[in-house]
Amino acid sequence: MNQPIPVTGKTRVYGILGFPVTHSLSPCMQNAAMQAAGIDGIYVPFSVSPAELADAVAGLRALQLQGVNVTIPHKSVIMPLLDELAPSAREAAAVNTVVWSSGRLVGHNTDGDGLVVSLGRDLGVTLPGKAVLLVGAGGAACGALPALCRAGVRSVLVVNRTLPAAEALVRRCAELYPATELHCCGFDGLDAGLLGGVDLLINATSRGMAGEKIEGLSLAHLPDHARVYDMVYAPVPTPLLEEARRCGLSAVDGRGMLVAQGERAFCLWHGQEPPSGVMGAALANLLQGVAKP
Ligand code: NAP
C-alpha cells in the first residue's frame, strides 16, 4: 500500500455535504483511491443542515474546494445554488456530485450511471431490450430511470407506495425518452401476469435498511431468468436478496452501485479512472462486520 501523502498548502480538498453525514462511506472510498493514485488530495465529510446549505455552497466557492458529493437531504435543493447542471443532473432532477470547473460550480448525477455499471459488472445484466420493474420513486429511482432509458431498456414499470410520485417520475422521463415504454402502478396493481414478464427487478426503496421486507412485493411470480438488484447495501443480505436466492434468482446488493457512482465522481474530479478495485476493497473492509439487526 502507498504511504499517505502529507497534507500541505498544495493539497486539494474534496468532501461530501449531507445531514447527517457521519455514516457516509464515501470518505473511505475516495481517500483510498486518491492515495493509491498518488493524488495530493483529501476528502472530508461536512455536516450541513438545510438552513446552512446556501452558506455552505458560498463557502465552496470562497475556499475553492475542487469538488464535493451531495447526499440526503440536499440532492435536489442544491440545484438552483449551482452555476450549471450537466444533463445527468437535469434528467435525474438531483445532484450527487459537484465539480469546480474554471470558477463555476457544475452539478452532475453519477448515481444512475453507477447503477448501470454495477448491473453489468456485478449482476451480468445486458440492458438493451430488457423489461424492468423499478420499485420506488424517490431520489434513487429518479436517478435510475433516465439512466436505464439511456442504456436502452425496452420498458420500465415503476411501482411505488405513493402513486403520484411514480406518475410524476414516469411523466418526466416519458418526455425525455419517448422510445422507452414507461408505466406505473401501486403495489396492488402488481399481478402474476405483470411479474411474469420482468427481466430485471430493482429495489430503489429504503426498505431493507433496517431488515424490513417490501410489503406487497413477492418474487414468486418472476420468471426463472429474472435478476434482482437491491440498491440497499447494508446490512446484507437484505430480506429481498434472501427471498431472491430462495427463489433461485441471481441477485446482488447495492455496494457495487455505491462504488461505481464514486468511481464516476472520481473521474469527474481528477480526469482519470481510479485504480481498479481500490474503492471496492476499501468499502468491503469498512462494511465488514455490519451485521443484520
Ligand atoms: P427517498 O428519496 O427517501 O425515497 C424512498 C423510497 O422508498 C420512496 O419510493 C418511498 O415510497 C419508498 N418507501 C419508504 N418506505 C416505504 C414503505 N414502508 N413501503 C414501501 N415503500 C417505501 O430515498 P432514496 O434517496 O431514493 O434512497 C432509497 C434507497 O436507495 C436507500 O436505501 C438508499 O440507501 C439507496 N441508495 C443506494 C445507492 C447506492 O449507491 N447503492 C444510491 C442511492 C440510494 P413513497 O414515495 O411512498 O414514500
Side-chain angles (χ1 to χ4, degrees):
M1 168 150 327
N2 296 1
Q3 287 299 311
I5 298 170
V7 176
T8 69
K10 290 185 185 158
T11 303
R12 285 172 289 169
V13 180
Y14 302 84
I16 179 163
L17 312 183
F19 193 71
V21 79
T22 40
H23 66 285
S24 175
L25 304 171
S26 294
C28 154
M29 295 195 304
Q30 296 292 346
N31 283 316
M34 283 193 287
Q35 189 179 325
I39 292 171
D40 183 7
I42 185 168
Y43 183 108
V44 284
F46 295 110
S47 176
V48 176
S49 73
E52 294 165 326
L53 182 64
D55 286 347
V57 172
L60 298 181
R61 295 179 198 279
L63 298 171
Q64 301 191 6
L65 259 64
Q66 298 299 300
V68 287
N69 282 131
V70 182
T71 187
I72 293 171
H74 304 314
K75 283 184 172 184
S76 299
V77 278
I78 199 170
M79 294 174 71
L81 302 172
L82 304 175
D83 301 310
E84 195 179 324
L85 296 173
S88 61
R90 278 200 303 273
E91 292 189 4
V95 164
N96 81 329
T97 303
V98 177
V99 181
W100 176 256
S101 171
S102 311
R104 291 169 65 75
L105 291 175
V106 184
H108 297 254
N109 191 305
T110 68
D111 280 336
D113 287 344
L115 169 68
V116 167
V117 167
S118 178
L119 283 168
R121 188 159 66 188
D122 304 314
L123 198 53
V125 174
T126 315
L127 285 168
K130 293 292 189 301
V132 180
L133 176 62
L134 179 61
V135 188
C142 289
L145 186 56
L148 292 167
C149 294
R150 280 196 298 277
V153 299
R154 183 179 82 244
S155 65
V156 185
L157 172 63
V158 179
V159 58
N160 196 47
R161 177 179 62 172
T162 308
L163 189 55
E167 288 169 341
L169 172 57
V170 161
R171 206 177 309 121
R172 201 176 64 241
C173 241
E175 284 175 20
L176 295 165
Y177 295 98
T180 313
E181 292 169 36
L182 298 175
H183 305 281
C184 60
C185 67
F187 285 98
D188 54 358
L190 280 182
D191 58 32
L194 278 177
L195 288 164
V198 168
D199 299 311
L200 169 66
L201 182 150
I202 299 171
N203 175 37
T205 76
S206 46
R207 300 297 280 170
M209 294 176 76
E212 332 87 321
K213 289 185 66 163
I214 306 170
E215 297 88 5
L217 180 71
S218 163
L219 307 186
H221 296 293
L222 291 180
D224 292 346
H225 73 269
R227 291 168 192 225
V228 175
Y229 194 96
D230 195 346
M231 286 196 198
V232 175
Y233 49 79
V236 291
T238 61
L240 186 70
L241 287 198
E242 289 179 324
E243 184 182 352
R245 287 171 186 161
R246 275 198 305 275
C247 295
L249 304 171
S250 297
V252 294
D253 62 68
R255 279 175 292 180
M257 174 178 172
L258 188 65
V259 168
Q261 63 77 32
E263 290 172 339
R264 302 275 307 167
F266 186 101
C267 289
L268 288 168
W269 293 326
H270 305 297
Q272 65 182 80
E273 299 277 344
S276 175
V278 171
M279 285 198 191
L283 183 67
N285 202 27
L286 196 70
L287 287 178
Q288 225 175 25
V290 177
K292 284 185 68 173

